[in-house]
């Protein structure tokens, strides 16, 4: 177990997280990091991480606090999502170590991700889907044109099932 050295009091978790976010924004501008990933990081920080840790000195956050945090998240989120939140927290600690704010990061609780693969179509289901897609080529969408224009910004010519859509379904 790595010991966490005391750090300068001005380095709260929130301050270090702000530095990490600024670095990730710069990576987006350089094309190294996706804007969607940056938005996910922002959402995770705002939703659960910063409310829990922002005002704490980064050196005061230890395994016990991280375990309590992961258990709190586990009451309402899947193990995959909890693991992703912990990755964001780890990113803040990694930055703190790299910039010598702390000498070592605390040990993190292990989150065992339970994989739940999505089921695939059976050959019969796939054949039915393909048959229906081919039968719909050229037919208008069942929703009204006004609904499609206002909700999906579709032009009048795009409101019919195209051959390409049937081809895409066949390609799956």
């Amino acid at each position: 177990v790595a010991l966490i050295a005391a750090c300068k009091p001005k380095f709260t978790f929130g301050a270090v997280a702000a530095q990490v976010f600024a670095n990730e924004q710069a990576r987006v501008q350089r094309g190294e990091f996706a804007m969607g990933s940056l938005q996910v990081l922002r959402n995770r920080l705002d939703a659960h991480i910063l409310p829990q840790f922002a005002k704490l000195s980064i050196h005061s956050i230890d395994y016990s606090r991280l375990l309590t945090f992961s258990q709190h998240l586990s009451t309402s989120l899947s193990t995959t999502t909890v693991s992703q939140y912990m990755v964001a927290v780890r990113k803040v600690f990694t930055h703190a170590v790299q910039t010598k704010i702390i000498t070592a990061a605390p040990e993190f609780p292990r989150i065992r991700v339970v994989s739940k693969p999505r089921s695939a179509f059976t050959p019969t289901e796939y054949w039915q889907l393909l048959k229906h897609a081919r039968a719909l080529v050229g037919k208008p969408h069942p929703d009204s044109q006004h609904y499609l224009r206002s909700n999906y910004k579709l032009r009048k010519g795009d409101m019919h099932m195209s051959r390409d859509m049937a081809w895409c379904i066949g390609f799956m």
Side-chain angles (χ1 to χ4, degrees), residues 8-171:
K8 300 170 190 159
K10 68 179 179 176
F11 289 113
T12 62
F13 183 92
V16 178
Q19 292 174 7
V20 169
F21 190 76
N23 291 345
E24 298 302 309
Q25 281 180 311
R27 289 182 62 206
V28 167
Q29 291 171 347
R30 292 191 304 264
E32 299 172 4
F33 196 64
M35 177 58 87
S37 297
L38 183 68
Q39 291 168 336
V40 168
L41 176 61
R42 176 85 269 158
N43 292 342
R44 289 195 175 125
L45 288 169
D46 292 344
H48 293 286
I49 298 170
L50 291 178
Q52 188 78 29
F53 298 125
K55 295 180 182 177
L56 298 175
S57 175
I58 195 158
H59 78 278
S60 71
I61 301 169
D62 58 6
Y63 177 84
S64 177
R65 282 189 196 243
L66 294 172
L67 181 63
T68 301
F69 177 63
S70 68
Q71 289 169 343
H72 165 71
L73 292 176
S74 296
T75 62
S76 60
L77 302 172
S78 71
T79 56
T80 300
T81 305
V82 172
S83 176
Q84 291 167 345
Y85 269 91
M86 298 307 284
V87 166
V89 173
R90 184 176 283 117
K91 188 176 278 203
V92 174
F93 276 100
T94 300
H95 177 77
V97 170
Q98 290 172 336
T99 55
K100 301 189 182 350
I101 294 170
I102 57 176
T103 57
E107 185 176 335
F108 275 68
R110 296 194 195 288
I111 308 296
R112 185 169 171 251
V113 176
V114 178
S115 177
K116 293 181 185 173
R118 295 183 177 124
S119 60
F121 292 119
T122 65
T124 303
E125 291 169 330
Y126 175 73
W127 182 247
Q128 288 174 343
L129 182 63
L130 185 58
K131 181 178 156 186
H132 283 30
R134 287 178 179 160
L136 290 172
V137 169
K139 297 209 170 134
H141 194 282
D143 288 330
S144 73
Q145 290 184 9
H146 174 72
Y147 177 81
L148 293 171
R149 272 195 309 276
S150 62
N151 291 335
Y152 299 106
K153 310 297 185 232
L154 290 177
R155 299 174 307 185
K156 187 173 183 174
D158 294 335
M159 295 181 192
H160 291 78
M161 174 74 122
S162 70
R163 288 185 203 278
D164 294 341
M165 182 58 75
W167 181 86
C168 286
I169 291 171
F171 185 72

